[in-house]
Amino acid sequence: MEATPTIRYEQRGATAWITLDRPDAMNALSGPMCTELLEAIGRIERDPGIRVIVLTGAGRAFCAGADLKGVFEDAGGSPGPIDPMTDFLDQVGTMMERLRVCPKPSIAALNGLTLAGGLELAMACDLIIAADSARIGDAHANFGVFPGAGGAAILPRRIGATAAKYLLFTGDTLPAKELVPLGLVNRVVPDADLGSEVEKLAARIASKSPLVIRRMKQTVADGLEQPQASALRLERVVLDAHRHSHDIREGLAAFVGKRTPDFKGY
């Protein structure tokens, strides 16, 4: 068990910044880190003052994947007939699913190398902004490991089956800018500007109605699992409910009055 915290939590305005803080281990996911991330996400969900989450890394990596060496060391040995990874993988999956379904929008700010579980963690966020030097890959195949948190299930949905299979089969890492046209990465910015550019993006999103953002996020997720006609019907159902909200009335009144709206989130 790690004695020191593995993440840093900071609130900047309406944005919660979570920094993975195991730079010597390239921010590899450990059991304690997953626990701390789950606690941070729960804290954010309960805090009405937080409207956006930013997840980034300390040092030269965003996250290099799972700390498999640490998992086996904690179990007291090397791989054998009893797989010590089972509980750990359940922990990782639970944490990423909690982030994925969190009603507040999240931004992965990729400051460096992003591999395997790190890529899966980035894909659990809603948006991905990368530093120019960031490199991204799946890498599971390099060690005979099968993805367990979205590498094989979610990556093809994000970039298409052919591109996903290239990353999965080869284990290669690619410059972040090559993944912008495929839709995995939203933007690539100069390394020195990553923090400021993400901060500006988070502030823009935080200025919107948290209710409409939450409903948009949920409807996008639900709609992707349905045929287009069903997704359109779902969108209309959500709109009918949204028409009775404070935020839509406030937004329209602000538009007519040519002023900045004061959204409350209900």
Side-chain angles (χ1 to χ4, degrees), residues 102-226:
C102 177
K104 302 184 181 185
S106 53
I107 304 169
L110 307 188
N111 55 295
L113 197 63
T114 303
L115 299 176
L119 172 57
E120 292 170 325
L121 180 60
M123 290 193 297
C125 295
D126 297 300
L127 303 175
I128 298 177
I129 309 298
D132 188 60
S133 64
R135 294 186 65 88
I136 301 170
D138 178 73
H140 283 98
N142 295 340
F143 303 98
V145 177
F146 189 82
I154 294 175
L155 186 60
R157 296 169 184 251
R158 297 288 290 268
I159 66 175
T162 302
K165 283 187 282 190
Y166 178 85
L167 286 176
L168 289 165
F169 296 172
T170 65
D172 287 353
T173 62
L174 299 178
K177 62 184 177 183
E178 292 189 19
L179 293 167
V180 173
L182 296 176
L184 180 68
V185 176
N186 295 98
R187 288 176 56 204
V188 173
V189 300
D191 287 31
D193 297 338
L194 179 64
S196 60
E197 288 297 316
V198 170
E199 193 157 5
K200 285 189 287 187
L201 175 60
R204 285 174 57 201
I205 296 172
S207 72
K208 315 300 183 188
S209 158
L211 176 64
V212 81
I213 295 293
R214 180 170 72 247
R215 285 175 163 166
M216 284 177 173
K217 177 172 178 173
Q218 187 64 60
T219 303
V220 168
D222 292 345
L224 284 172
E225 303 301 320
Q226 303 180 34

Side-chain angles (χ1 to χ4, degrees), residues 15-256:
T15 303
W17 283 73
I18 301 173
T19 303
L20 308 182
D21 196 19
R22 300 182 71 213
D24 292 343
M26 300 185 75
N27 300 320
L29 294 168
S30 63
M33 179 180 280
C34 289
T35 298
E36 290 176 44
L37 284 169
L38 265 176
E39 291 171 352
I41 296 165
R43 173 180 175 182
I44 289 164
E45 289 176 337
R46 294 188 298 271
D47 188 344
I50 298 295
R51 295 190 175 186
V52 181
I53 306 167
V54 172
L55 192 62
T56 192
R60 62 192 183 93
F62 170 72
C63 175
D67 184 3
L68 299 181
K69 179 181 177 183
V71 171
F72 290 117
E73 286 177 349
D74 290 345
S78 59
I82 298 176
D83 187 354
M85 289 201 299
T86 301
D87 290 343
F88 173 68
L89 292 175
D90 287 345
Q91 226 184 340
V92 171
T94 298
M95 178 271 291
M96 290 194 191
E97 182 62 16
R98 184 73 175 274
L99 177 60
R100 194 175 292 116
V101 302
C102 177
K104 302 184 181 185
S106 53
I107 304 169
L110 307 188
N111 55 295
L113 197 63
T114 303
L115 299 176
L119 172 57
E120 292 170 325
L121 180 60
M123 290 193 297
C125 295
D126 297 300
L127 303 175
I128 298 177
I129 309 298
D132 188 60
S133 64
R135 294 186 65 88
I136 301 170
D138 178 73
H140 283 98
N142 295 340
F143 303 98
V145 177
F146 189 82
I154 294 175
L155 186 60
R157 296 169 184 251
R158 297 288 290 268
I159 66 175
T162 302
K165 283 187 282 190
Y166 178 85
L167 286 176
L168 289 165
F169 296 172
T170 65
D172 287 353
T173 62
L174 299 178
K177 62 184 177 183
E178 292 189 19
L179 293 167
V180 173
L182 296 176
L184 180 68
V185 176
N186 295 98
R187 288 176 56 204
V188 173
V189 300
D191 287 31
D193 297 338
L194 179 64
S196 60
E197 288 297 316
V198 170
E199 193 157 5
K200 285 189 287 187
L201 175 60
R204 285 174 57 201
I205 296 172
S207 72
K208 315 300 183 188
S209 158
L211 176 64
V212 81
I213 295 293
R214 180 170 72 247
R215 285 175 163 166
M216 284 177 173
K217 177 172 178 173
Q218 187 64 60
T219 303
V220 168
D222 292 345
L224 284 172
E225 303 301 320
Q226 303 180 34
Q228 180 174 292
S230 299
L232 286 167
R233 286 193 293 271
L234 171 63
E235 184 180 66
R236 182 55 190 266
V237 169
V238 177
L239 171 59
D240 287 344
H242 190 70
R243 287 191 301 108
H244 303 287
S245 68
H246 164 275
D247 279 6
I248 194 170
R249 293 194 297 271
E250 168 61 14
L252 294 174
F255 176 77
V256 172

